[in-house]
Amino acid sequence: MKTFNVGIVGATGMVGQRFITLLENHPWFKLKVLAASSRSAGKTYEEAVGSRWVMKTPIPEDVKKIVVLDATEDIEKIASQVDFVFCAVDMKKDEIKALEEKYAKAECPVISNNSAHRHTPDVPMIVPELNAEHAEIIHAQRKRLGTKRGFIAVKSNCSLQSYVPALHPLMKFGIKNVLACTYQAISGAGKTFETWPEMVDNVIPYIGGEEEKSEIEPLKIWGKIEGDKIVDAVSPAITTQCIRVPVSDGHLAAVFVSFENKPSIEEIKEIWKNFKGTAQELELPLAPKHFLNYFEEDNRPQTKSERNLEGGMAVSIGRLREDSQYDYKFVCISHNTLRGAAGGAVLMAELLAKLGYMD
């Protein structure tokens, strides 16, 4: 596999920092450019991020001295130096949409961690194990944008990446209704306990916009390409409640599900055990060998012990049992800034590179 030069737009934030750690020793992707707001532009990365570096490992030595470019003013310069960019900026949604299109029109593919383009009909929202075939819509998007190489692809919301993968291989039984209550880590808000002390010993029963995303976005993942757009699936009916809990990393979901054709518990466990997606079939560098991992113990999976399973890229499931209102209920956990954010975006980039969309 050939190597690609990549940039990070929004490099000083928490997700941008996570991208840096994931790219440090990546076999295909070489980090060449860092970009951020005008406040950081012109400074070395070490100066720009300062005391805001929150990763558990130090800033890589070869990254410290990279001079940060202006994410909005230096688009042509950035595009000339890289094969594609990861985007994780903190801006208004309309501004993000415009910025990402500018990069795409500069013939620089954008792998976005932002929500702005998730509902653009010809922008694929890919979880590589679930809907890799949606990459084909890129041809239609390029036609609309008038580009040869440039395009935008987005990753889905971090909350649904804990429970949608567990539901996906069960869709063949006709999932009718889903209730998912998510208990979400503070890093999902870009915070640590040091920067958000009011979260210590506290639970907040509201995360702005999260429930709408968690109910709607799975239907795009399960949708189909029709002509020049992705048409959302019409079922299952999903309702969610999203709660912020005092956990550093890792989103847990309590899931209730009803089927048209109810499988047995043994069938479900066997399907989870054997499930592989395109990411595993292609042996992508960040792909977990075992994507869905079931734990038989009554008190597993736990956030602290399971969130880093397979480099934080696996999903952990447990407590599958029959329910009095739905057919079954279970719990699942994923690492929200790895599988749910930067790691999911890098895996998507690996998929698109392997399929030739970065050439």
Side-chain angles (χ1 to χ4, degrees):
M1 188 69 182
K2 75 173 192 178
T3 58
F4 298 83
N5 293 328
V6 306
I8 301 171
V9 179
T12 56
M14 184 178 284
V15 176
Q17 293 176 29
R18 182 66 79 182
F19 276 125
I20 287 172
T21 65
L22 290 170
L23 296 174
E24 184 176 4
N25 297 301
H26 197 281
W28 300 354
F29 302 153
K30 305 304 176 189
L31 181 57
K32 294 293 184 182
V33 173
L34 299 173
S37 70
S38 57
R39 295 188 306 274
S40 298
K43 300 176 182 177
T44 66
Y45 185 73
E46 188 175 29
E47 292 169 342
V49 77
S51 61
R52 291 179 293 131
W53 181 262
V54 295
M55 297 293 108
K56 291 183 171 62
T57 55
I59 303 172
E61 285 299 320
D62 59 348
V63 171
K64 287 181 179 179
K65 303 306 179 189
I66 294 178
V67 176
V68 178
L69 298 180
D70 190 309
T72 57
E73 298 298 323
D74 294 329
I75 293 173
E76 293 293 338
K77 184 176 181 180
I78 293 165
S80 70
Q81 296 180 55
V82 301
D83 295 302
F84 67 92
V85 295
F86 294 104
C87 189
V89 293
D90 183 11
M91 299 166 65
K92 293 177 181 177
K93 191 167 287 190
D94 288 346
E95 294 172 347
I96 294 172
K97 288 182 81 168
L99 181 71
E100 291 181 343
E101 285 211 358
K102 285 179 181 177
Y103 276 93
K105 288 179 177 178
E107 299 295 358
C108 181
V110 178
I111 306 300
S112 178
N113 192 75
N114 305 302
S115 64
H117 273 292
R118 286 181 190 158
H119 299 296
T120 304
D122 59 8
V123 171
M125 183 168 65
I126 297 173
V127 180
E129 288 87 352
L130 310 187
N131 64 332
E133 69 279 3
H134 281 194
E136 294 172 16
I137 199 66
I138 289 170
H139 300 297
Q141 186 193 147
R142 282 174 169 161
K143 189 174 180 181
R144 173 176 64 86
L145 295 174
T147 59
K148 291 186 172 66
R149 288 190 71 251
F151 67 86
I152 303 160
V154 297
K155 57 152 288 299
S156 63
N157 184 261
C158 54
S159 65
L160 60 88
Q161 298 214 33
S162 54
Y163 64 89
V164 170
L167 293 170
H168 180 77
L170 308 179
M171 290 288 282
K172 62 185 179 182
F173 298 108
I175 296 177
K176 294 190 298 182
N177 298 293
V178 175
L179 163 63
C181 297
T182 62
Y183 304 88
Q184 301 185 205
I186 63 172
S187 57
K191 305 283 190 180
T192 64
F193 288 117
E194 288 72 29
T195 60
W196 202 4
E198 56 266 43
M199 270 309 301
V200 176
D201 193 30
N202 193 23
V203 168
I204 298 176
Y206 173 73
I207 306 172
E210 203 77 358
E211 287 159 4
E212 294 86 346
K213 294 173 187 174
S214 299
E215 293 169 358
I216 295 169
E217 288 183 19
L219 300 178
K220 182 169 184 177
I221 291 172
W222 288 324
K224 302 290 184 187
I225 295 175
E226 295 182 12
D228 59 358
K229 60 186 176 181
I230 298 168
V231 177
D232 290 0
V234 295
S235 63
I238 304 170
T239 185
T240 65
Q241 187 152 270
C242 299
I243 299 168
R244 189 73 72 192
V245 294
V247 170
S248 58
D249 294 301
H251 288 355
L252 181 147
V255 184
F256 303 76
V257 57
S258 294
F259 297 93
E260 291 176 9
N261 302 296
K262 182 181 176 181
S264 68
I265 286 178
E266 291 71 25
E267 280 180 290
I268 294 173
K269 288 181 181 179
E270 192 67 16
I271 287 168
W272 282 339
K273 179 181 176 182
N274 295 316
F275 178 71
K276 290 183 178 181
T278 303
Q280 286 71 39
E281 292 164 2
L282 295 178
E283 298 181 338
L284 301 177
L286 238 60
K289 286 186 170 55
H290 298 286
F291 182 34
L292 305 178
N293 299 265
Y294 188 81
F295 291 81
E296 292 288 352
E297 299 92 334
D298 287 341
N299 64 347
R300 302 278 291 281
Q302 294 181 17
T303 304
K304 203 168 186 178
S305 54
E306 269 69 68
R307 62 189 171 198
N308 290 313
L309 188 64
E310 296 228 33
M313 293 299 289
V315 174
S316 300
I317 313 169
R319 302 203 68 211
L320 175 65
R321 60 219 190 274
E322 293 200 340
D323 181 64
S324 60
Q325 307 297 315
Y326 291 74
D327 287 330
Y328 293 112
K329 54 190 171 186
F330 59 90
V331 298
C332 40
I333 289 170
S334 67
H335 195 302
N336 57 296
T337 70
L338 286 167
R339 166 55 70 170
V346 173
L347 186 64
M348 177 169 56
E350 291 172 355
L351 172 74
L352 295 174
K354 188 75 173 181
L355 296 177
Y357 287 96
M358 303 299 195
D359 294 342

